[in-house]
Structure formats: structure tokens, C-alpha cells
Amino acid sequence: MKLFIPSVKWFILNNILSSFPSKHIRIFLFNKFGAKIAPKVPIYGGCEYRNIKGLHVGEGSTIGHRCILDARKGLYIGKNVCIATEVMFWTLHHDYNDRNFKEAGAPIRINDYAWIASKAIILPGVTIGEGAVVAAGSVVTKDVAPYTVVGGIPAKPFAQRNKNLDYTPGKFWLHFV
């Protein structure tokens, strides 16, 4: 029975609530499941969740379609963060040097005003600095400094972002899903 209840919760979360047509009801229910998501944060449909209780999302942030949000070790997403479609966050993996393939991992932190482009992968223990940008398709294995643009596999810095711009989304932004 102990294994049955978490499996049922996982099924409800990832197969019913994840695609529920109202973002407002979806966020309300995610918070009831133990997440800490600011009101009015659009989390688009089809995302997959691992340990929703470890998920924290700040106001003004957006999470795109079909992301994998692994919060088993903790996933903190700051304010006004833009996460595009199909981004993967992995806080837990296996130790390939252990004969029993035991679990290893660490929390992920995405600081305010960061932008994670489509299909990027963020690995355990990574901190993305304030205002940093992760290019599409990148695999981030190490921390990213504030206002730095990284890309590639593994992600490496290739540009700096202007620190003097206002990266707060405007009031005209309208989320439909």
C-alpha cells in the first residue's frame, strides 16, 4: 500500500492535472499537492513533475509546454524567469561508479530574470545566475554566472547580457493556456 499511494499521486499529477485546461486551477491544485508556485504563474500543459513538493516558482515566471520539472532534490525558480518549451531539469541521477548504481544529486536554482531556451537540459546542482541565458539545446553541467549567455554541450559562455535593461515582462503579456 505504501508504494501504491505515491504511484496514484504521480499518475494524477502527470496525467490529469498536468494537462488540465485551466492554468489557474492547475496552479491551485499543484500548490495543494505541496508546490510553492506564485499566483498567476503560467505553467503550460503537458509538463512532467517529480516530487512537486520540492518545486518553488516565483512571481512573473513562465514555464513552457512539456517541461520536465524534477524537484526530488529541490528546484527553485526565481522571479520573472522565462523557461521555454521542453526544458529538462534533473536534480537526481545515478552514480555510474557505484556498483549498485545508487542515486546522487543536488538542488537546482534558477535566479531572477534568467531565460532558459527550448530543449535545454539543466543537470543536478547547477545554479543559473540572475539574468543569465541558456541557449536552445544546451546541456548545463556547471554554474552559470549572472548575465552570461551560455550554449553548447556542455554549455560554455559565449556572450554577456546587458545588465542595464528592464527584463521584467510588461503588463500586456497574456497567457492563454
Side-chain angles (χ1 to χ4, degrees), residues 13-175:
L13 186 64
N14 288 298
N15 293 293
I16 298 171
L17 297 183
S18 175
S19 297
F20 198 80
S22 167
K23 71 176 181 187
H24 302 290
I25 294 172
R26 196 171 20 213
I27 297 306
F28 172 79
L29 293 171
F30 289 163
N31 284 331
K32 288 294 181 192
F33 268 77
K36 291 178 180 68
I37 303 171
K40 300 182 183 178
V41 167
I43 297 181
Y44 287 82
C47 292
E48 183 178 321
Y49 303 89
R50 312 252 170 113
N51 184 32
I52 192 105
K53 290 179 182 178
L55 179 62
H56 302 262
V57 183
E59 77 177 68
S61 293
T62 301
I63 298 175
H65 293 281
R66 298 178 303 281
C67 290
I68 296 177
L69 302 162
D70 174 9
R72 292 175 287 180
K73 292 289 185 180
L75 175 56
Y76 174 84
I77 298 168
K79 295 178 182 177
N80 300 304
V81 173
C82 178
I83 297 172
T85 298
E86 296 183 353
V87 171
M88 290 187 242
F89 297 96
W90 295 108
T91 65
L92 198 59
H93 60 113
H94 293 282
D95 181 354
Y96 53 81
N97 286 318
D98 184 85
R99 71 185 280 204
N100 296 317
F101 210 45
K102 76 176 185 179
E103 295 177 344
I108 293 173
R109 181 175 186 86
I110 312 299
N111 287 306
D112 300 347
Y113 308 107
W115 172 17
I116 315 297
S118 294
K119 297 192 177 189
I121 300 171
I122 314 298
L123 295 179
V126 167
T127 296
I128 306 292
E130 179 178 319
V133 177
V134 176
S138 299
V139 177
V140 183
T141 60
K142 295 180 180 167
D143 292 352
V144 177
Y147 295 95
T148 300
V149 182
V150 299
I153 302 172
K156 295 189 182 331
F158 67 87
Q160 287 298 121
R161 194 173 187 198
N162 186 340
K163 295 178 185 176
N164 298 319
L165 296 178
D166 180 6
Y167 290 108
T168 306
K171 301 286 184 213
F172 63 91
W173 194 254
L174 181 61
H175 298 283

